[in-house]
Amino acid sequence: MAELNLSRVEMPRQDPLIRSQNFLEVALGYSATEALSEAARCIQCPKHPCTGGCPVGVDIPDFIKALRELDLASSSRILKNKNKLPGICGRVCPQETQCEQSCVLARRGAPVAIGRLERYVADWERRQDALELPLRLPPTGQKVAVVGSGPAGLTCAADLAVAGHAVTVFEALHVPGGVLMYGIPEFRLPKAIVRHEVDSIMALGVEVRLDWVVGNILAVDKLFALGYQAVFLGTGAGLPMFMNVPGEIFSGIYSANEFLTRVNLMHAGEPGYDTPLPMGSQVAVIGGGNVAMDAARCALRAGAERVFIVYRRTKAEAPARAEELENAEEEGVVFCGLTNPVRFLANARGWVTAMECLKMELGEPDAKGRRRPIPKPGSNFIMDVDTVVIALGTTPNPLVPATTPGLDIHPEGTIIVDKEGHTTKPGVWAGGDAATGAATVISAMGAGRTAASSINAYLKDPSDWPAIDQTG
Amino acid sequence: MFKILAKEAISPTVNLFRIEAPSVARAARPGQFVMLMTDEQGERIPLTIANWDEAEGSISLVVSSVGHTTLKLATMQPGDTLAHVVGPLGKSTEIGNFGKVACVATGYGMLTIVPPAKALKAAGSRVFSVISAPSKSELLQPERLGEVSERLIVTTADGSAGRSGWVIEPLKELLVSEGIDRVMAIGSLCMMKLVSEASRGLKTTVSLNPIMVDGTGMCGACRVSLAGTPRFACVDGPEFDAHEVDWDLLMARRCSYPMEAACGESAYRCRSCAQW
Ligand SMILES: Cc1cc2nc3c(=O)[nH]c(=O)nc-3n(C[C@H](O)[C@H](O)[C@H](O)COP(=O)(O)OP(=O)(O)OC[C@H]3O[C@@H](n4cnc5c(N)ncnc54)[C@H](O)[C@@H]3O)c2cc1C
Ligand SMILES: Cc1cc2nc3c(=O)[nH]c(=O)nc-3n(C[C@H](O)[C@H](O)[C@H](O)COP(=O)(O)OP(=O)(O)OC[C@H]3O[C@@H](n4cnc5c(N)ncnc54)[C@H](O)[C@@H]3O)c2cc1C
Ligand code: SF4
Ligand code: FES
């Protein structure tokens, strides 16, 4: 057996000082030589635990082997067999807690850089002239409606189209892609890649209807009346949470969704685009997750002088990926831990000028094992800021459940589903963030895929609808 | 694509558009709105559905030219297409037999209040209306609201048509003389705020128009404070109970850009948002 190589090939990145001033992709991707030498580190172990660590079970050693043999077409086919969106997942999946964490090399050193290799193969495929389409089964004459064009909806639509059904995707926004387009910034996930993936799904014959808010324009029951025999709800978790502290309504205070939508979806500030991004120079982003990191890094790029991450625990407890926190700090974002805003102050025009914060300390661990932040009485202090972005998470939008009798939700607003995505309403499936609450691209994809195969089986034989209980 | 079927200048700064949008026309109800983008690089702006024709598959929008996108829209012509129109959005107006209802409108509200007023009348309510504009040329087709009202009081600031003055005095008189049971106001924020002060004790609804980005409940830009609780105008509204609205916060927020352009010098002259 060849000697183990325990250190991975680093991926080149843009210099922090330069990249904090542009929206171009930060991580530049492997060259062919780099990809091959990283691929060579995989020992092709028979048990390949990496595959088990992947939420959709990509045949990791196989795609790496094909890459090593310079058969990129096969490599790409193997990837796409399980993962419809490898160019996206290679960039945004938290591999360190998934496949790479399970890699045997991780026990002794750095795991194989599976995500980077996945990205390399997907990028190769995107550069080829002809798109390789999976074989479509003959038309079944059956119609399925997919609501939402995020990763869950797109994956479900693609699988159903391949199975021969006529699929229509209804999307509320003017662009397909969900969070991939409006949330995750260009410098982590170039929008051209998302567009390419959407195009390849449309090439399967999937019809995408933009500007369609299901619920308002058309209720789910109406979809059945129009001849759709099954409905998949991939409506995401787009409702932003606020802190409910005084002054939160002042101008200059955004939800992360609004801030990121202006920047990513509406291209605020780019020449030729109309949407403004009213922003001052001292920006505080409240929260410690990936969304907070994205907002902070966008604020820097949009011209803020100073950007603070204000988080009530410490860096160690922050839910953001370590890599993203590090990227943000390298670019100049300042982390203010153990700090919690209790009130916002504004000028006579109602524009935020400062926030009053409390210092926190860490107490006993909570149910999730994270140490609970406890306010230090009397530690109030004023932080001068003229823009605030609140990144405290999101919950599912209530619109579809509110207009769909028989579709039950959990108290947190997530749609109740079983393992296959059946909801409490016969003929309706749900998956992705709409059913789990804010999660990951790959889990949304996986849910879309699982629901598609369940829908397939149902359309062949619409037998009894399973009873779905609250705990399902 | 959403084709402009017709365009009519109904005042020096306001155009009435008829736009092909069959799916919107099919589902529209009084008081709902659309989000519109002129082109792929444009901004998403909210506009009330001022009328709709299901058979023709069209909707009408009355657009005050106040800033970048509305001015851009004003340069577009019949035959041109809009990149995106999405709707109907928001909740529709509460309709019923509410007895005598006073409908108060300024600016584009003079036309967007017509569908709710008509529906109220059809449901058995008796409609009394008050509208106001700076001068005669800025009254927007007053006959449209007149048709559904038992009485229409027109006022202009310069006295060039109807009574001279503003909406508040005639409204106060009406409340007493007719024994009004309910008030509905659509127009500039300062007008709606003053109406709500004049109508204390009477159920009063207003159609709020905060800044919106998506219009589907995803961004929170449209949050308004209702009886101390934040609500999203695009999904929980745009119609709200006037007496629960925190007007000062809303006015501060709504005028957030351009930062300098505050609501005019005097509260009654909302020149910068041109909804007077
Ligand atoms: C800023 C940010 C950064 C993130 N970074 C990462 C990351 O690095 N890695 C990772 O794995 N995950 C990341 N996530 C999470 C990930 O993006 C989501 O988990 C994933 O997109 C969920 O997919 P989905 O298909 O369930 O929903 P979404 O992507 O939310 O898509 C739902 C779609 O449904 C549409 N819709 C909603 N209601 C209706 C309706 N009534 N009618 C029609 N259409 C409707 C919405 O407009 C939207 O387009 C991030 C999230 C955010 C916000
Ligand atoms: C639910 C709803 C329904 C609406 N219906 C109509 C309608 O039927 N007809 C119509 O003409 N307008 C309507 N508006 C207002 C319209 O959306 C704004 O006038 C428009 O967005 C301004 O865009 P702009 O790019 O032209 O102006 P901007 O360049 O963005 O702004 C120019 C000026 O307009 C003010 N302004 C910005 N946003 C708004 C706003 N939301 N409301 C009022 N003033 C604003 C600014 O303070 C600024 O002074 C409605 C708004 C809402 C929220
Ligand atoms: S676990 Fe790691 S070394 Fe083993 S096959 Fe998977 S990627 Fe290769
Ligand atoms: S406009 Fe975005 S939530 Fe209302």
Side-chain angles (χ1 to χ4, degrees):
Chain A
M1 195 161 114
E3 204 177 311
L4 287 184
N5 175 352
L6 291 174
S7 37
R8 49 168 60 183
V9 179
E10 280 314 318
M11 177 157 57
R13 289 186 299 168
Q14 272 198 74
D15 179 84
L17 289 178
I18 296 171
R19 74 183 191 232
S20 64
Q21 307 299 314
N22 69 51
F23 276 94
L24 301 176
E25 195 168 13
V26 167
L28 300 171
Y30 278 153
S31 66
T33 327
E34 287 162 341
L36 288 175
S37 51
E38 182 61 25
R41 293 180 60 225
C42 172
I43 54 171
Q44 297 284 313
C45 34
K47 285 202 181 131
H48 53 90
C50 48
T51 299
C54 171
V56 297
V58 166
D59 300 308
I60 292 165
D62 295 358
F63 100 79
I64 294 180
K65 182 158 177 276
L67 165 62
R68 277 210 303 233
E69 290 162 358
L70 301 178
D71 183 0
L72 280 126
S74 301
S75 181
S76 166
R77 223 171 290 129
I78 296 165
L79 265 174
K80 286 198 138 177
N81 185 31
K82 292 281 166 62
N83 182 343
K84 278 270 171 295
L85 312 169
I88 294 170
C89 292
R91 287 175 167 78
V92 305
C93 270
Q95 288 99 6
E96 69 280 9
T97 60
Q98 299 179 166
C99 54
E100 293 179 7
Q101 188 181 43
S102 315
C103 172
V104 292
L105 299 191
R107 273 180 256 158
R108 313 258 305 269
V112 173
I114 301 168
R116 297 173 184 179
L117 295 176
E118 178 181 22
R119 167 179 169 167
Y120 177 80
V121 174
D123 286 356
W124 173 86
E125 197 239 21
R126 208 175 55 256
R127 283 194 304 270
Q128 306 312 302
D129 294 333
L131 209 64
E132 191 177 313
L133 291 180
L135 232 49
R136 284 192 73 183
L137 295 178
T140 58
Q142 291 172 306
K143 280 171 46 169
V144 184
V146 169
V147 186
S149 66
L154 288 177
T155 308
C156 185
D159 281 3
L160 290 167
V162 168
H165 308 302
V167 186
T168 311
V169 176
F170 295 91
E171 168 55 50
L173 291 173
H174 60 281
V175 168
V179 172
L180 305 178
M181 288 305 279
Y182 78 71
I184 306 181
E186 175 78 18
F187 57 82
R188 282 211 294 128
L189 178 62
K191 300 309 152 213
I193 294 172
V194 183
R195 255 176 250 123
H196 172 86
E197 304 289 3
V198 172
D199 287 348
S200 63
I201 286 168
M202 286 172 75
L204 294 170
V206 171
E207 184 198 359
V208 178
R209 282 205 208 155
L210 302 174
D211 304 321
W212 273 81
V213 185
V214 170
N216 274 42
I217 305 181
L218 208 60
V220 168
D221 284 322
K222 276 267 181 63
L223 289 170
F224 289 113
L226 288 175
Y228 292 98
Q229 284 143 295
V231 177
F232 175 75
L233 302 173
T235 45
L239 189 74
M241 292 198 263
F242 286 92
M243 311 179 71
N244 297 324
V245 301
E248 204 172 18
I249 209 158
F250 290 138
S251 298
I253 303 182
Y254 296 97
S255 72
N257 264 7
E258 180 183 355
F259 192 78
L260 291 168
T261 295
R262 284 178 184 271
V263 174
N264 300 321
L265 184 71
M266 305 311 296
H267 300 267
E270 280 177 49
Y273 288 87
D274 293 345
T275 302
L277 182 69
M279 189 182 82
S281 62
Q282 313 287 314
V283 181
V285 179
I286 320 285
N290 289 316
V291 178
M293 301 305 140
D294 282 345
R297 298 172 72 195
C298 277
L300 269 186
R301 286 161 173 78
E305 261 163 47
R306 302 225 285 165
V307 180
F308 307 94
I309 295 270
V310 176
Y311 181 54
R312 59 199 181 124
R313 294 182 164 98
T314 73
K315 242 185 251 180
E317 289 83 25
R321 290 174 75 179
E323 187 188 331
E324 295 306 330
L325 231 163
E326 186 189 308
N327 274 328
E329 288 195 305
E330 270 179 22
E331 289 167 12
V333 172
V334 178
F335 190 96
C336 308
L338 295 173
T339 305
N340 201 29
V342 290
R343 173 167 82 101
F344 296 98
L345 309 170
N347 62 19
R349 295 283 340 277
W351 189 276
V352 65
T353 53
M355 51 188 201
E356 183 179 328
C357 299
L358 267 180
K359 278 277 163 212
M360 311 294 273
E361 57 196 347
L362 291 181
E364 296 299 307
D366 62 14
K368 285 185 188 156
R370 279 194 306 176
R371 290 182 65 192
R372 211 187 298 271
I374 299 169
K376 279 197 210 170
S379 65
N380 306 48
F381 69 103
I382 298 286
M383 197 170 163
D384 290 328
V385 290
D386 50 19
T387 304
V388 176
V389 181
I390 297 175
L392 296 179
T394 52
T395 58
N397 191 318
L399 188 60
V400 170
T403 53
T404 311
L407 183 74
D408 293 347
I409 55 175
H410 290 289
E412 323 82 76
T414 47
I415 301 173
I416 297 173
V417 291
D418 69 3
K419 280 198 189 66
E420 300 190 320
H422 297 100
T423 67
T424 51
K425 189 178 175 73
V428 180
W429 283 255
D433 284 5
T436 57
T440 59
V441 173
I442 191 69
S443 58
M445 265 192 51
R449 165 146 282 188
T450 306
S453 71
S454 172
I455 291 172
N456 244 328
Y458 170 86
L459 291 177
K460 283 198 191 90
D461 168 27
S463 51
D464 292 341
W465 192 258
I468 312 298
D469 66 18
Q470 296 276 340
T471 52
Chain B
M1 285 299 223
F2 304 84
K3 195 157 141 196
I4 300 178
L5 301 172
K7 173 190 176 188
E8 184 188 348
I10 55 172
S11 94
T13 54
V14 181
N15 286 293
L16 184 60
F17 289 92
R18 213 166 81 242
I19 293 160
E20 187 175 72
S23 55
V24 185
R26 212 161 25 238
R29 305 233 305 285
Q32 290 185 300
F33 66 96
V34 295
M35 296 297 295
L36 172 151
M37 278 175 90
T38 51
D39 53 276
E40 293 296 338
Q41 305 197 337
E43 187 173 5
R44 293 170 66 96
I45 66 160
L47 295 166
T48 310
I49 306 171
N51 204 354
W52 59 95
D53 181 338
E54 202 185 328
E56 188 190 45
S58 70
I59 59 169
S60 297
L61 302 175
V62 45
V63 187
S64 264
S65 304
V66 297
H68 189 83
T69 304
T70 47
L71 284 166
K72 200 161 155 183
L73 204 49
T75 66
M76 297 183 78
Q77 299 301 334
D80 291 350
T81 52
L82 302 165
H84 299 278
V85 175
V86 52
L89 300 172
K91 295 208 166 101
S92 57
T93 309
E94 190 188 350
I95 303 296
N97 182 350
F98 301 132
K100 293 184 179 176
V101 181
C103 292
V104 188
T106 56
Y108 65 78
M110 286 183 256
L111 282 174
T112 62
I113 206 168
V114 174
K118 201 167 153 183
L120 283 170
K121 187 184 172 195
S125 298
R126 296 175 60 189
V127 176
F128 298 81
S129 301
V130 188
I131 59 174
S132 181
S135 76
K136 186 177 178 192
S137 65
E138 286 158 273
L139 286 170
L140 308 178
Q141 302 186 333
E143 65 283 2
R144 299 283 309 283
L145 185 56
E147 279 163 23
V148 297
S149 309
E150 253 169 65
R151 230 178 109 195
L152 171 70
I153 303 170
V154 174
T155 73
T156 51
D158 63 4
S160 52
R163 281 172 61 167
S164 95
W166 208 45
V167 292
I168 301 301
E169 280 313 310
L171 172 66
K172 282 184 179 160
E173 292 165 19
L174 205 58
L175 294 182
V176 178
S177 66
E178 291 291 348
I180 294 291
D181 300 301
R182 187 179 171 114
V183 180
M184 170 165 71
I186 307 183
S188 64
L189 286 177
C190 32
M191 181 275 274
M192 294 191 285
K193 175 184 177 185
L194 292 171
V195 165
S196 79
E197 281 165 14
S199 69
R200 293 239 165 259
L202 281 183
K203 169 82 177 182
T204 302
T205 62
V206 287
S207 183
L208 297 184
N209 46 13
I211 285 164
M212 293 186 175
V213 179
D214 62 302
T216 68
M218 180 266 268
C219 75
C222 64
R223 61 195 190 278
V224 290
S225 180
L226 262 283
T229 312
R231 306 278 293 278
F232 289 2
C234 70
V235 287
D236 301 324
E239 184 181 272
F240 289 106
D241 185 327
H243 297 130
E244 293 190 341
V245 176
D246 186 327
W247 292 100
D248 294 338
L249 272 183
L250 178 59
M251 290 172 82
R253 229 187 121 66
R254 220 278 307 277
C255 304
S256 67
Y257 46 74
M259 268 172 79
E260 316 74 51
C263 271
E265 322 69 63
S266 107
Y268 303 98
R269 286 192 167 266
C270 227
R271 273 299 179 195
S272 68
C273 63
Q275 289 181 17
W276 196 70

